[in-house]
Amino acid sequence: MQVTTLLRRLRWAGAAALVVFGASAQGAELNVGANVGNVPWEFQDASGKIVGFEVDLMTEVGKRLGSEVKFVNIPFAGLFAAVQSGQIDAAVSSITITPKRLESVSFAQPYYDSDQSLTVKADSGITGLSGMAGKTVGVDTGSTGDIWVTAHMAETKIASVSKYEGLQPAMLDLSAGRIDGYISDIPALLYYVKDKPQFKVVERIKTGEQYSVMFAKDAPLAAKVNDAISAMKKDGTMASIYKTWFGADPESGLATVTVMDMPKP
């Protein structure tokens, strides 16, 4: 083979390798952990497709980062170890930013303001937390609702706590009378009961929670996702996702439409 021909082929091979590498880097997969069954954040529709507010959010983030997003179904309590170990790149599931969590993981800026809530059967006669004395409440394992109930057992006089991995099994037990109330994130419950008159959200529990995407501590990806979220807030994409899932425009001043700093410990 002539030297000129060999050099020409080597140059072509090098260019092809760069193209393949570039496509691979640009199309790198982003593994996002989520507790699927967490309506309306991430759940399966009638066809089995995973949909929800945070699914739309992370899919759009992936597009802006040039990455294909793959959702990995992980129970809520397992998401923390999964990001810390590198099993997943990021996690969503209406995860609240807390000072304690910031000691071991990182978060992008918040994109949703939330509180907890008490949901009961509409015919139960329970009108608020004062009616839960001596009764059994359900919570999601490791959630902010779990933490809140644990801290307020004496005040509320709740007799016992049942723990669940998501809304669906908790609501099944509420319907069957195995628990008397369910404490969890208010947006999920408002969405769930809007067409189910047998249930009622009877009290908003003020906690000042804000949701965000969780990462391993100081992961470089956190800043990149944070920048993408800022852009989505500025161009109206985040507000559009909110309206899709909650049927109204977000109020001004909320985290959904306000660019914020990344939370610090």
Side-chain angles (χ1 to χ4, degrees):
M1 181 181 295
Q2 293 183 351
V3 173
T4 53
T5 302
L6 176 61
L7 288 174
R8 192 178 298 115
R9 291 187 178 182
L10 286 173
R11 282 197 297 270
W12 179 88
L18 286 172
V19 170
V20 171
F21 175 78
S24 176
Q26 183 72 5
E29 194 168 71
L30 187 63
N31 291 306
V32 178
N35 179 30
V36 177
N38 181 29
V39 180
W41 306 101
E42 42 276 320
F43 63 101
Q44 289 182 306
D45 65 13
S47 70
K49 180 182 178 182
I50 298 176
V51 298
F53 182 109
E54 289 173 322
V55 174
D56 289 352
L57 164 68
M58 293 308 296
T59 300
E60 179 63 25
V61 166
K63 288 178 183 176
R64 295 180 186 228
L65 297 183
S67 301
E68 181 180 350
V69 175
K70 176 184 177 183
F71 290 93
V72 183
N73 189 11
I74 298 174
F76 184 87
L79 292 171
F80 301 84
V83 291
Q84 290 169 323
S85 66
Q87 178 187 344
I88 53 177
D89 302 304
V92 292
S93 275
S94 52
I95 305 174
T96 303
I97 304 164
T98 69
K100 181 66 176 177
R101 288 171 179 173
L102 283 167
E103 293 175 5
S104 56
V105 295
S106 291
F107 286 94
Q109 65 181 286
Y111 50 77
Y112 191 87
D113 300 278
S114 184
D115 287 311
Q116 292 295 293
S117 64
L118 172 64
T119 301
V120 299
K121 291 177 71 174
D123 61 0
S124 67
I126 298 171
T127 58
L129 283 167
S130 60
M132 289 299 294
K135 299 189 182 299
T136 299
V137 71
V139 297
D140 298 320
T141 304
S143 67
T144 308
D146 187 357
I147 295 167
W148 188 91
V149 169
T150 300
H152 293 82
M153 288 287 285
E155 173 190 339
T156 59
K157 297 182 173 59
I158 290 170
S160 60
V161 181
S162 295
K163 300 191 178 187
Y164 298 90
E165 298 298 338
L167 182 148
Q168 294 288 352
M171 295 305 287
L172 284 173
D173 272 9
L174 180 60
S175 179
R178 286 185 282 270
I179 58 175
D180 302 293
Y182 175 48
I183 290 179
S184 190
D185 305 325
I186 195 165
L189 272 301
L190 289 174
Y191 179 88
Y192 183 84
V193 307
K194 67 181 181 179
D195 59 353
K196 299 176 180 64
Q198 69 270 35
F199 299 116
K200 187 175 182 180
V201 177
V202 292
E203 186 165 341
R204 176 184 285 266
I205 304 169
K206 294 283 189 180
T207 56
E209 296 170 73
Q210 292 184 312
Y211 300 159
S212 190
V213 189
M214 183 173 68
F215 307 86
K217 185 71 173 175
D218 300 324
L221 179 62
K224 295 178 182 178
V225 172
N226 188 75
D227 289 345
I229 290 174
S230 290
M232 290 168 66
K233 289 181 179 182
K234 290 176 181 176
D235 66 20
T237 302
M238 192 71 76
S240 178
I241 293 173
Y242 182 100
K243 188 168 185 178
T244 296
W245 290 101
F246 296 108
D249 293 318
E251 299 172 37
S252 93
L254 293 181
T256 306
V257 292
T258 306
V259 175
M260 299 179 171
D261 294 330
M262 288 181 66
K264 304 294 182 185

